[in-house]
Amino acid sequence: MQTSWRAAPPSTVGISLEAHISQQMEMSPGATGHFTSLLYQIALAAKLVDAQVRQAGLADVLGYTGDVNVQGERVQKLDTMANDTFITVIQRGQRACAIGSEELEDPILLPGGGRYAVAMDPLDGSSNIDCNISIGTIFGIYRRKSDPSVPGTLDDLLQPGTSLRAAGYLIYGSSTMLVYSTGPKFGVHGFTLDPNIGEFFLSHENIKVPQRGSTYSVNEGNTARWDEATRAWVEYLKQEDKETKRPYGARYVGSLVADAHRTLVKGGIFAYPADRKSPQGKLRLLYEANPMAFIFEAAGGRATSGKERILDIAPHQLHQRTPLIIGSPDDVATFERFAQEGGPVAETRAEPA
Ligand code: P6P
């Protein structure tokens, strides 16, 4: 006979995503449930995409559709499926007035009074699908600026990251995780999908980026295209120096959600800097850099373009690019010292004062 029942602690690992979102809503005075409902819709769409991604190896969905998206990249069937799934679910939920997607040249502008604008990369890293490397969905949620009596506008999406109401990502990896935040006050939380029952459960509560890490994540294949400061920064990290715990380990998957998630949990730095081929950087501000920057800052990390804080950048185009450097505060500061002081002359390779 059980003699006592141990009451669960107030906020424990293991609660469902729905319960967690409801708790956050209760902590938001004046909440109407619209935002909560939109988060539920994103989680539902993520489950549907996860089911397709898991079967991709078996079903005939790995091939290319033959189409080319607005980025000039050949579109894989899973890209199309993910884009259609998120858009359909969000539209049906009627809480959004505008959706900007990496897969669509123009935003979807919706009537019906939805209060939020969603910027998303439905399936990032899709070139890795065929080799079973982790891929993901990245999203940012803005409060609309336009009058709710009319359909949403492009301006509802062209907002700086400081205006984000929430942001997050899904990583479809060895397990599927949803990581999201509604801001530094509420923290960053990771939920792991239990595929047997189709529910997300809190597995990583209040994720904090370590003050400093021991790995750097950058595509060194671009070295010949980098400026001297970027080259000097990487060379500095590779030097042997016990006092500053160098060399750093190199880790690069080539899938943003995978590289960012590792950096978020373990610390260190991820960089996609500008180079001669991509003078504005490769990654997209609205639906890649901003959501990641929002998450990292909410977790105590930092996010810069090398010249300015990512979240401060005023967007002017839906698909505009930016250099993206995210990670532990100390490691991002080291990058900035090289970027802003032009880096030392090659032979010294010491960190600028
Ligand atoms: P590269 C994937 O195609 C992606 O958009 C991001 O997920 C990833 O961080 C980056 O491009 C990798 O780019 O040029 O290193 O292959």
Side-chain angles (χ1 to χ4, degrees):
M1 167 71 75
Q2 185 176 337
T3 54
S4 67
W5 180 79
R6 183 175 61 80
S11 85
T12 65
V13 169
I15 63 171
S16 73
L17 174 64
E18 281 71 14
H20 189 271
I21 293 174
S22 300
Q23 274 181 1
Q24 300 237 335
M25 178 179 153
E26 284 155 21
M27 294 190 282
S28 310
T32 62
H34 284 224
F35 176 72
T36 298
S37 162
L38 177 56
L39 282 176
Y40 286 159
Q41 290 151 31
I42 289 172
L44 170 62
K47 293 176 195 175
L48 296 169
V49 169
D50 173 71
Q52 291 295 317
V53 167
R54 298 274 159 234
Q55 292 163 11
L58 302 172
D60 174 31
V61 291
L62 286 183
Y64 288 101
T65 59
D67 299 331
V68 173
N69 68 12
V70 62
Q71 323 300 338
E73 298 161 341
R74 283 200 306 169
V75 179
Q76 297 223 15
K77 288 177 182 172
L78 282 180
D79 274 344
T80 305
M81 174 279 301
N83 187 57
D84 295 354
T85 300
F86 275 95
I87 288 171
T88 301
V89 170
I90 291 171
Q91 268 186 313
R92 281 189 187 143
Q94 299 183 326
R95 296 302 183 224
C97 67
I99 303 172
S101 169
E102 184 192 40
E103 293 299 322
L104 301 175
E105 187 152 1
D106 299 316
I108 296 177
L109 303 178
L110 300 167
R115 299 177 185 170
Y116 298 97
V118 180
M120 66 176 183
D121 186 349
L123 203 60
D124 179 76
S126 52
S127 55
N128 294 298
I129 291 172
D130 292 354
C131 34
N132 212 10
I133 288 173
S134 298
I135 53 180
T137 300
I138 309 169
F139 64 90
I141 301 174
Y142 296 93
R143 183 93 190 187
R144 78 181 297 170
K145 295 189 332 184
S146 58
D147 185 303
S149 63
V150 298
T153 66
L154 176 58
D155 281 347
D156 289 318
L157 289 160
L158 296 183
Q159 300 188 54
T162 46
S163 299
L164 276 166
R165 177 71 180 73
Y169 58 85
L170 279 296
I171 179 166
Y172 310 105
S174 51
S175 62
T176 290
M177 275 189 75
L178 166 65
V179 175
Y180 90 103
S181 176
T182 55
K185 195 170 77 169
F186 293 102
V188 177
H189 307 286
F191 298 79
T192 300
L193 181 65
D194 179 337
N196 299 312
I197 57 174
E199 280 293 349
F200 282 102
F201 291 98
L202 184 61
S203 52
H204 297 68
E205 189 171 29
N206 206 19
I207 299 171
K208 290 294 180 195
V209 186
Q211 184 67 24
R212 184 173 174 191
S214 57
T215 59
Y216 72 102
S217 184
V218 68
N219 184 346
E220 291 196 62
N222 294 328
T223 299
R225 299 177 180 144
W226 289 338
D227 63 18
E228 174 50 33
T230 303
R231 279 200 288 271
W233 165 67
V234 170
E235 286 311 307
Y236 169 77
L237 293 179
K238 293 158 84 168
Q239 287 172 348
E240 188 98 38
D241 179 87
K242 283 196 173 43
E243 189 188 334
T244 53
K245 297 179 182 171
R246 289 179 288 147
Y248 272 39
R251 297 286 185 279
Y252 193 74
V253 178
S255 177
L256 177 58
V257 289
D259 285 317
H261 185 67
R262 181 200 57 250
T263 306
L264 182 75
V265 173
K266 291 184 176 289
I269 188 165
F270 167 87
Y272 208 107
D275 61 42
R276 275 204 310 278
K277 180 184 169 197
S278 311
Q280 301 306 317
K282 172 182 183 182
L283 301 176
R284 309 292 175 167
L285 174 63
L286 280 180
Y287 41 77
E288 291 174 331
N290 268 346
M292 286 303 179
F294 184 86
I295 289 283
F296 270 79
E297 289 202 4
R302 292 197 53 218
T304 179
S305 67
K307 294 188 178 123
E308 60 186 312
R309 181 185 179 218
I310 291 288
L311 296 183
D312 289 336
I313 297 173
H316 52 271
Q317 276 182 348
L318 188 60
H319 301 291
Q320 80 183 61
R321 301 174 191 267
T322 177
L324 176 65
I325 296 88
I326 49 179
S328 297
D330 290 0
D331 293 311
V332 173
T334 298
F335 179 93
E336 286 177 322
R337 276 197 288 281
F338 279 87
Q340 287 155 14
E341 296 168 26
V345 179
E347 57 272 13
T348 61
R349 295 277 186 240
E351 181 165 358

